[in-house]
Amino acid sequence: MNPIQTRGLSKNYCAFPALVDLDLEVQKGEVFGFLGPNGAGKSTTIRLLMGELNPTAGSATVLGASPRDVAHRARLGYLPPDLALWPVMTGRDTLNFFARLRGGVDWKYVDSLAERLDATLDKRVGELSTGNRQKIGLISVFMNKPELLILDEPNAGLDPLVQHEFWAMMREVADEGRTVFLSSHTLSEVERVADRVGIIRKGSLIAVEEVAALRRKKTRRIEIDFDGTLKSSDLAAVAGIRDLSLLHDRLELNFDGDMSRLLSTVSSLVHLRDIHTQEADLEDIFLTYYQDES
């Protein structure tokens, strides 16, 4: 059985539909990225999977059990987005507390996790920065090697070097045949580690794709400053241009085509002064590729 499976899972807050008819299967041995902007329904989904909320309609199973069952909790690791720890306890005291709840852990493995994440365990949690508190939370999730890890926006406050180590840890979990459900609004984070991605928007799942397919759909935002005269029709033959805006000396567009073709076409017509390019944010990708579904 799949570690996570939902059928028609829905949740309304009064008349507001926070989650609508979610049909989702997360497979054993994968990192599944759950993508969406803030307010899309990601945390509502996770709270339903954790049994913190009752669904309005539909059903879900987690490790073959109802989310409200207790027996499967020992096989599950969960990191909430608003991690709250005891401020007067040290990091090691905190991990000791969680370890006793879970029936004991391999402390050599815990120490290796702390070393990999460069975590401070001898200070009181209340004295730690947001990122260092997050490290304690991550260790508590990984330390008993659960079959399923559910991580809700886990990158809060982590510096880039620690993020890379964290990504490696998630991939190791999947390589061992265990499963990670990673909720995020950051496309670049999910791209690095996920095998498949589910995209949620306004409470509805609008796509489930292999990461390779998602990469092919990714677009870039490009701004070109130029001297000369340029018309929109001059670029009609360049494939991959979307949402083009042409000012008197600036060209702005979303682009997923051949960059050399675009630049050679523009430079043959005008003098290029400057080029700015950046990965389009998640909302831009939704608007570009999923207008019909949304």
Side-chain angles (χ1 to χ4, degrees), residues 114-237:
E115 183 177 355
R116 293 179 67 176
L117 294 174
D118 193 24
T120 301
L121 301 185
D122 56 351
K123 286 186 177 181
R124 292 184 177 183
V125 169
E127 300 172 358
L128 299 177
S129 66
T130 299
N132 282 317
R133 287 196 300 272
Q134 192 74 354
K135 294 173 187 177
I136 302 300
L138 288 173
I139 294 170
S140 73
V141 172
F142 279 80
M143 66 182 184
N144 67 319
K145 298 186 177 181
E147 293 177 36
L148 171 64
L149 286 73
I150 297 180
L151 309 175
D152 195 352
E153 302 286 355
N155 252 349
L158 300 182
D159 65 59
L161 290 177
V162 174
Q163 286 181 19
H164 279 271
E165 196 62 44
F166 169 51
W167 294 335
M169 288 163 54
M170 285 191 284
R171 285 307 323 166
E172 290 166 10
V173 167
D175 292 343
E176 292 170 1
R178 298 183 283 135
T179 305
V180 178
F181 185 83
L182 171 65
S183 172
S184 178
H185 66 273
T186 307
L187 178 61
S188 58
E189 174 188 13
V190 173
E191 267 194 306
R192 290 176 181 269
V193 296
D195 301 290
R196 292 191 304 142
V197 174
I199 299 177
I200 188 170
R201 181 185 172 104
K202 296 181 180 178
S204 296
L205 187 69
I206 56 177
V208 176
E209 301 203 39
E210 302 285 338
V211 166
L214 185 65
R215 286 196 185 104
R216 290 194 294 270
K217 292 189 174 184
K218 187 169 66 175
T219 186
R220 300 191 71 81
R221 184 66 179 173
I222 299 174
E223 300 173 355
I224 301 175
D225 297 326
F226 61 88
D227 294 319
T229 302
L230 189 65
K231 303 187 297 294
S232 298
S233 58
D234 294 331
L235 304 175

Side-chain angles (χ1 to χ4, degrees), residues 187-188 191-192 214-224 238-245 251-260 262-263 275-286 288-289:
L187 178 61
S188 58
E191 267 194 306
R192 290 176 181 269
L214 185 65
R215 286 196 185 104
R216 290 194 294 270
K217 292 189 174 184
K218 187 169 66 175
T219 186
R220 300 191 71 81
R221 184 66 179 173
I222 299 174
E223 300 173 355
I224 301 175
V238 181
I241 292 178
R242 305 170 186 270
D243 303 323
L244 185 146
S245 174
L251 175 66
E252 298 179 355
L253 67 152
N254 290 330
F255 188 64
D256 62 0
D258 183 347
M259 183 70 75
S260 63
L262 172 66
L263 295 181
I275 299 173
H276 307 273
T277 179
Q278 64 181 18
E279 180 180 316
D281 64 25
L282 190 59
E283 186 68 13
D284 287 337
I285 294 170
F286 287 161
T288 301
Y289 292 103

Side-chain angles (χ1 to χ4, degrees), residues 49-76:
L49 295 176
M50 292 302 301
E52 296 176 3
L53 296 174
N54 285 319
T56 303
S59 64
T61 58
V62 177
L63 295 173
S66 167
R68 291 240 165 185
D69 288 351
V70 176
H72 71 286
R73 296 298 176 92
R75 300 155 53 208
L76 172 66

